[in-house]
Amino acid sequence: MTISRRTALQVGGIGAIGAAALTVPLTQAQASTPSTLALRNFPKRFAVPLPIPPVLAPKPSPDGQTSTYYEVTETAGSAAIVPGLNTPILGYNGIFPGPTISVNKGEPIRLKVRNRLPLFHPSWGHVLDTSTHLHGSASLPQYDGYANDLTAKDQSKTYHYPNFQPARTLWYHDHAVHNTAQNAYSGLAAQYHLHDDDERRLLPQGKFDVPLTVTDAMFSANGKLSYDDKTQSGLWGDVILVNGAPWPVMRVQRRIYRFRVLNASISRSYRFALSGGGPVTVVATDGGLMPVAQTVTSWRHAGAERYEILIDFSKYAAGTRVELRNLSNKNNIDFDYTGKVMAFDVTADPVDTSGPAATVMPTTLVPSTAMSLKASDAVKTRHFRLKRDLNIWTIDGMTWEDVVDSEYQKVLADPDYNAVEIWSFENSSGGWYHPLHIHLVDFQILSRNGRAPFPYEKGPKDVVYVGEGETVRLLMKFEHHKGRYMVHCHNLPHEDHDMMAQFSVGYDAGDYDANDPVYADPAKYD
Ligand code: C2O
Ligand code: CU
Ligand code: CU
């Protein structure tokens, strides 16, 4: 569905109301668009430079433990997003996106998260208990941001992140039970980069390695974020932000750049493409490098998916503006400017060709455990239906409430430790898509409706787009840790109501679990 501001103006009544009334509607964005900002406060396209979030510096370890130590504080903050107004946000260190954490493979870290948020959300009133999930990390269950492992106001929790996996783009975001959507939407989200030798050898680094966190938002007339999830179906804003800035523009040299594209929108999915239809080379998926780079002209990108892409700007003349656009997908709500994301201005600046992949696209990359698995390795196949039952979203009939009611014991599946299994997820609805996320594992997409996955999906994944009428088959190994982990839809209003379940690796019902996700290492007052 496309709702055009121009169409709404015509229908809503230039003729009917008459010219005298025009001064009133023209001062505001149309009611048919979700933002109610005055036009002078509605952001212009390509008017602000792309901001790059700061990289978090480690701190001295408070207790002599050797692993690198970081701290972030969740606080209310204020952001300059729409011209002329301040937008109250919640952020890690008060900013959105939060600070990027950049680490090396083999370097375990601890991250202390301090909750200094207001007790109640200033706009929506819920209690601001939080749980921090590092999405893309095989963390122990008690450090995985389990939805009910909550950190209350004035408490803190020190998370342990192992960083033994291959290089990848991860992100940390709030995962508080029933409030993940509003908390992440308010700003509790940030990228986390895990580097290794393969990626340093093959892909652009430093200022040519650029995070792009894409979100959408809607604003009230006073600049505050507004929230409308259409009866828990999803939120589709009319303003597109990249790294927290509306439709920004980035100046680029005529060489290859690497972009870490994270869709941190709580519901919206995108179909990204460049203006002019130019090629984009996908080199990494959620779980890191693909075996072979894939060149595409557009790709479908749901919430929480990460695609690392390379764009060769030497193919464009200096002075060219290349837009990153959104061709959209079924069951999104589009507005006048949601087809635009950001722009790259190709400059005549001297070209720095130092470092890997500055001028030549890499082709063969590296294998990974997930992509080396064979379907014949699987010892079990399980099938799960994603659907709406009586106004509640469910995974094979299970909700998170069922898990809570069972004292966190009820599970959707109980694979053996190190078992390889095939999990298939079926969405037989034509009315919605579900970005399905499985914690702990990296999986390989075997098929979608019996066909090969899209070329850009041929890498290790932890979120899969389960589109309308689609069934996906996923192959994965339940390695690294035993314990209980969440599996859920990453359309966050779906997740919160109540499309989330859990699975247990390596335990039988009643076994003692030293890594209990709620009780093993709870938050403390500090
Ligand atoms: Cu990105 Cu369970 O979440
Ligand atoms: Cu996750
Ligand atoms: Cu969903």
Side-chain angles (χ1 to χ4, degrees), residues 348-364:
D349 293 353
V351 179
D352 176 352
T353 57
S354 64
T359 55
V360 180
M361 282 289 174
T363 50
T364 301

Side-chain angles (χ1 to χ4, degrees), residues 250-254 257 259 313 344-349:
M250 178 190 181
R251 291 169 55 84
V252 293
Q253 299 174 13
R254 298 185 61 231
Y257 280 72
F259 298 99
F313 293 109
F344 305 102
D345 280 347
V346 181
T347 68
D349 293 353

Side-chain angles (χ1 to χ4, degrees), residues 87-105:
T87 300
I89 60 156
L90 308 178
Y92 298 108
N93 289 353
I95 57 171
F96 172 70
T100 302
I101 296 177
S102 178
V103 296
N104 293 311
K105 182 178 170 181

